[in-house]
Amino acid sequence: MSYLVQLVLILVLTKLGAHLSNTLNFPSVIGELLVGVLAGPAVLHLLTPTSFTHYFAEIGVIVLMFIGLILSATSVSITVQVLKEMNHMNTREGAIILGAAVADDIMCVILLGICVSLFGTGAAAQSQSVGALALPKILFFILMLVLGKWFVPYFLRFFDKLNASENVATAALILCFGFAALAVSLGMSDVLGAYFAGLAISETSFKEKLALKIEPIGYAVFIPVFFVSIGLNITFKGMQHDLLFIGLLIIIAIIGKQFGGALGAHLFGLNLNEANIVGAGMVSRGEMALVVANVALSAHLIDQNHYTAMIVVTVITTLIAPLVLKLFIQRAQKEHSEIKQSRTKIDEVKS
């Protein structure tokens, strides 16, 4: 099958899968991911992993991480949809969820980059001193800080003055891929470089303008191929031996995020219902978990069975999270309504 036929199949099937998923009130990413599983070697054998899908998916994950901070936190895109639907976006809980999710994503990407550089394929941890290993990483973070604060705004303003079409969008993509290449050259993951490029641009006045330009480029072609490629790499062979592991991982994933998020929110003054909303809002793993699993597999940090287990856990928690969040929001709204009615009755009695 030629790469053009593969691309046509992927684009058609992902849009149909996303449509069906959205119709059933599930996130579109679930439909796109399941397209890869069903059409791939695990089920129908319509599509197989090739060098074309590999490189397209690599660009897709880089662009996904890049636009993550320009648009919103990648790990809570599903949570944001629920908050908007339940008219709970502009609340204290909503602000805490978004802020915590951004911090969560940043720490996740940094830790992922460090793990890949130290323990992944090609890491020379066995033959290098601690200083030789640490120096490039320290240099990387210094460069990200300096370039992000001073170079990126100047670079965007310079391109904005050029007499050519789509100057700023091109400049943003240059920064995205340039930062990714710089990260790789210093022994870090390319997604970490792309993420820092997005972080730097999100602090400039070009953020809103670029969000409208870059998002269609990513979600029209490259990002759907990335999600499908994840499904193509899934195998159910030997999965029966990992069912206990998957079950425990799901329980830990949900309870850990729910309890940890709720406890932290409660310690900062939120009541029990509000704290539970924050905890439920942090449960969804979303796109970030898919990125972590993909990078970990590519760097041989995990094997194929654990990769499949991580994807299954991500899908299940992503499906469960909106339901749990809606439950806690409805409970909070009901309690708020009852308190309001009680106060109204008390005022009527007093009057």
Side-chain angles (χ1 to χ4, degrees), residues 208-219:
E208 301 298 330
K209 181 178 180 180
L210 286 173
L212 299 174
K213 297 286 187 179
I214 305 300
E215 185 182 17
I217 296 174
Y219 281 97

Side-chain angles (χ1 to χ4, degrees), residues 228-269:
V228 169
S229 72
I230 292 175
L232 295 180
N233 287 320
I234 287 180
T235 175
F236 296 121
K237 185 179 180 180
M239 185 178 171
Q240 66 274 13
H241 303 300
D242 294 322
L243 293 179
L244 179 60
F245 171 74
I246 292 173
L248 290 174
L249 202 58
I250 291 171
I251 294 172
I252 293 172
I254 295 175
I255 294 179
K257 282 277 191 174
Q258 177 67 50
F259 180 75
L263 179 62
H266 191 59
L267 290 175
F268 280 87

Side-chain angles (χ1 to χ4, degrees), residues 90-129:
N90 297 319
T91 61
R92 188 182 179 189
E93 305 93 272
I96 290 174
I97 290 171
L98 292 179
V102 171
D104 192 19
D105 279 1
I106 292 173
M107 288 187 290
C108 179
V109 173
I110 291 174
L111 290 174
L112 177 64
I114 293 174
C115 287
V116 169
S117 65
L118 294 179
F119 309 114
T121 300
Q126 300 295 329
S127 58
Q128 290 184 322
S129 65

Side-chain angles (χ1 to χ4, degrees), residues 54 58 121 293-302 307:
H54 170 74
E58 284 294 307
T121 300
N294 184 70
V295 173
L297 180 66
S298 300
H300 297 280
L301 293 174
I302 58 175
Y307 172 80

Side-chain angles (χ1 to χ4, degrees), residues 272-293:
L272 189 59
N273 281 327
E274 293 171 339
N276 279 325
I277 291 173
V278 173
M282 298 299 296
V283 168
S284 174
R285 263 55 185 174
E287 293 92 333
M288 180 61 73
L290 300 178
V291 171
V292 171

Side-chain angles (χ1 to χ4, degrees), residues 158-177:
F158 172 77
F159 263 74
D160 191 37
K161 296 176 182 178
L162 296 181
N163 184 21
S165 61
E166 301 299 342
N167 300 332
V168 180
T170 301
L173 290 175
I174 291 172
L175 291 171
C176 170
F177 297 124

